[in-house]
Amino acid sequence: MSQPVDTAVSAVRTYIAQHRVAFLDDLTEWLRIPSVSAQPDHAPDVRRSADWLAAKLEETGFPTVEVWPTPGAPAVYAEWPAADPGAPTVLVYGHHDVQPAAREDGWDSEPFAPVVRDGRLYARGAADDKGQVFFHTLGVRAHLAATGRTTPAVHLKLLIEGEEESGSPHFRALVEQHADRLTADAVIVSDTGMWSEDTPTVCTGMRGLAECEIRLYGPDQDIHSGSFGGAVPNPATAVARLVAALHDEHARVAIPGFYDGVVELTGRERELFAELPFDEERWLRTAKSHATRGEAGYSTLERVWARPTAEVNGIGGGYQGPGSKTIIPSSAMVKLSFRLVAGQDPEHVRKAVGDWVPAQLPEGIRHEITFSPATRPCLTPLDHPALRSVVRAMGRAFGTPVRFTREGGSGPAADLQDVLGAPVLFLGISVPSDGWHAPNEKVDLDLLLKGVETSAYLWGDLAEHWRHAP
Amino acid sequence: MSQPVDTAVSAVRTYIAQHRVAFLDDLTEWLRIPSVSAQPDHAPDVRRSADWLAAKLEETGFPTVEVWPTPGAPAVYAEWPAADPGAPTVLVYGHHDVQPAAREDGWDSEPFAPVVRDGRLYARGAADDKGQVFFHTLGVRAHLAATGRTTPAVHLKLLIEGEEESGSPHFRALVEQHADRLTADAVIVSDTGMWSEDTPTVCTGMRGLAECEIRLYGPDQDIHSGSFGGAVPNPATAVARLVAALHDEHARVAIPGFYDGVVELTGRERELFAELPFDEERWLRTAKSHATRGEAGYSTLERVWARPTAEVNGIGGGYQGPGSKTIIPSSAMVKLSFRLVAGQDPEHVRKAVGDWVPAQLPEGIRHEITFSPATRPCLTPLDHPALRSVVRAMGRAFGTPVRFTREGGSGPAADLQDVLGAPVLFLGISVPSDGWHAPNEKVDLDLLLKGVETSAYLWGDLAEHWRHAP
Ligand SMILES: [Zn+2]
Ligand SMILES: [Zn+2]
């Protein structure tokens, strides 16, 4: 390593060490606010959380800080322009609401009374997502302190929403409403994680999501299976045959047109995935599953990160109580979710599903399909200059090579990509054992400070290597 | 017609005409007792119903009448030996309990306040089964009066259970307990119906029933469909594929061994079915269905009466509430019922299912199968002498040719066949529009009296043509 890098690193680390205690005290204070967006009782807490963050961002130095109302919970917006008008503009996305949590769910301490044990901070939201939002506050100050600046090297914007854990019902409208304020050359999402403590990674894509509920109708009411069984179509059988037809014998989705446009993995991407220290037994334990199964010709990681899927989230029809009831049910339903990858258009998938369903049904079975709003997939090209900056910043912070992952889930980040037309990048330092949405959610304090450090290096690197935004 | 027959007929009819009013008054009184076996509140009413019937059978002349307790509701047993010890013994089966009913379910009058409108008696139990049990009381008295006897021409036994509408949970044990009292050369079940008012028919068989619940287990808890979707087996998909594999492309049950032993329809039986004035459009309206569908190569009537089936009564797994939930469910289940026909052994079917299920499942999906107690099929050979007697007795009462049907449902009659080793015959005068288990259940008074008349002719005919029981 060359001398200048060492100097910058030690300046950042010194600053962080000096401010570590106050930073953790502040975060702890924020984590005490039970900003559970899914529970109407906590609506005042979600608003309090937004106000708390807004005040803290002002304290951090952001010259513009606003709380943006929505028909639901408010978001927080902050802006800190660079001195150089030609610097790239970066929008950081995160969320200040949290999943529900109660001591009796299996927590070893109160979920909203943060406590440090063995270098880990336990609290609901510690990792998802308050800890990861908050590291940017100390990050930008360390960036300024280490470089002697008074403004960040990039035009920095933050948008921290308050309804992510409730499905972000008003997020897209919010982004559309404020699109002129939110314009950016890149979006940095800090709401994901890394491979493990030992293997820092950058996520380069999230799958999209199209969901639907299909209801099938047979007899006008439940009818007797003795009197009519064997002679009329049964909607529960029909729904089962529909679901069975979803996949072919290679576990590929069998809906014609489903794979249209899919961006296939490159050889390089497959190599990068294969370099990860993947332990299938361990992965299965995390998945609480007893075997792997998926599309032929792809590894487990490829299947969850880079291949589209069709999954049954729920199926139902007829009598499901104790004992038996000799009926042919009048209706049955299935809830399907399709994970989408880059190149797939949710509208096209919706149409493909809509065409496919009736073709599978026997005469005498009527159907209804209801689609939920879809989420688009996003994918960062491996050679994108902003991605290279994220990788370099993280590499400096962790001191080990940074590898690449993707995310199998879907998130509102795609709305930012869609509306703002900016590439989405992911900077997350959480690890799989942090227990998102589970009891005893925690964040490792050393990793959290690596997040601060990454944030501190990132803005300068971006400004240096990506001066002329595309 | 020869003179002696006419004389017998007119004697029976005269007797019935003389006693018609008292008979209907008595039945009305019985129908006022809400003997709903499925509702614990009505347990005293079911006991009252048994006592009422016992008293009435004593009044009718049965020298032996007993109320037989069970762990649930009591049955009524009565015996009236013939003078000739060599006469055949006939056991009449019926039930004195009824389905639940409430005015607000859509009844035009109170279900337990019988009322006659347009020659039809409306009340819960009017057709199923009090009316059809009760016609035997006036029937046997008309038989005695018309023939000048003081005892019936056959050894007559009645077993009227009190839990049929609750699935007869204690019936088999009751029959086993009293097997020595119940021995019979034939069982006459009066708990079915005929084709229509214009087409008197005798039912010659009921399907059997084997039921099971299959539970499939995948992940140890619901897991996130984004993080794991496409890479682990989904039990909801597995249950759907299992159900889809139940039938082949000809809608035949695809479980190996399922059809073992099935008694195929004879050409004569198919001809007899085809002679019935079957109107498929009308049948579909009754089935409240929008198409027929079933095993290739068989007509609708053959499918419901004489072919075994596999039907889904319920299916479920994962999230079934409003909106969506992106999970791979940890389990899923299906409730299947198999209707069985003569020659099929429920034990063999159970084994076939038990062998078949695991062979359909992907690695990583565990299963559990729970079978309910099975009901065997029963089938009366068309050339059985007792069947010929039933047909002749009915033909005399109705004055038109009697045709043959079967019953697609299953009933406790099969227990009598099994335990007593006696053939089961069906004598029912109800018609499909009588609304069994539905609001405004009724019985047509003219048909009810045809039932009385058939009963009056039957015992003499049996004694005459089947004197030496096999
Ligand atoms: Zn989150
Ligand atoms: Zn009945």
Side-chain angles (χ1 to χ4, degrees), chain B residues 10-178:
Chain B
S10 76
V12 162
R13 288 187 180 164
T14 302
Y15 187 87
I16 294 172
Q18 285 164 349
H19 295 84
R20 172 196 159 106
V21 172
F23 167 77
L24 293 177
D25 283 353
D26 283 345
L27 174 58
T28 298
E29 194 176 291
W30 195 17
L31 290 169
R32 287 187 199 280
I33 304 176
S35 50
V36 180
S37 59
Q39 295 174 340
D41 288 7
H42 285 294
D45 294 317
V46 185
R47 285 194 297 274
R48 199 151 54 90
S49 163
D51 293 339
W52 185 96
L53 176 62
K56 200 54 65 179
L57 291 173
E58 281 176 5
E59 209 177 283
T60 300
F62 281 84
T64 303
V65 180
E66 297 170 17
V67 174
W68 285 353
T70 76
V76 177
Y77 176 70
E79 221 178 279
W80 198 341
D84 173 4
T89 302
V90 177
L91 173 65
V92 171
Y93 167 86
H95 60 90
H96 67 89
D97 64 319
V98 299
Q99 279 278 317
R103 178 75 188 254
E104 57 268 28
D105 295 342
W107 286 76
D108 295 330
S109 52
E110 286 296 335
F112 297 105
V115 61
V116 176
R117 290 193 297 271
D118 293 332
R120 287 151 181 167
L121 175 60
Y122 288 84
R124 173 58 85 224
D128 179 21
D129 187 36
K130 286 173 175 170
Q132 304 208 81
V133 165
F134 207 58
F135 72 57
H136 286 292
T137 62
L138 184 54
V140 67
R141 286 175 55 214
H143 161 59
L144 300 180
T147 57
R149 295 169 175 273
T150 53
T151 56
V154 297
H155 301 296
L156 196 56
K157 299 178 177 180
L158 259 70
L159 178 61
I160 311 301
E161 73 155 318
E163 298 188 307
E164 201 275 343
E165 300 296 1
S166 300
S168 303
H170 307 104
F171 186 66
R172 189 175 177 109
L174 186 79
V175 173
E176 284 169 347
Q177 184 190 340
H178 297 287

Side-chain angles (χ1 to χ4, degrees), chain A residues 95 128 164-165 191 436:
Chain A
H95 60 91
D128 177 24
E164 200 275 342
E165 301 295 4
D191 187 26
W436 291 31

Side-chain angles (χ1 to χ4, degrees), chain A residues 36 98-112 117 121-129 165 286 288 430-443, chain B residues 221-224 228:
Chain A
V36 179
V98 299
Q99 277 279 315
R103 179 76 188 255
E104 57 269 28
D105 295 341
W107 286 76
D108 296 331
S109 52
E110 286 296 335
F112 297 105
R117 291 192 298 269
L121 175 59
Y122 288 85
R124 173 57 86 223
D128 177 24
D129 186 40
E165 301 295 4
T286 313
K288 300 187 187 302
S430 179
V431 290
S433 58
D434 283 350
W436 291 31
H437 301 198
N440 298 315
E441 178 179 346
K442 55 122 177 113
V443 70
Chain B
Q221 61 184 52
D222 292 351
I223 59 174
H224 194 266
F228 304 108

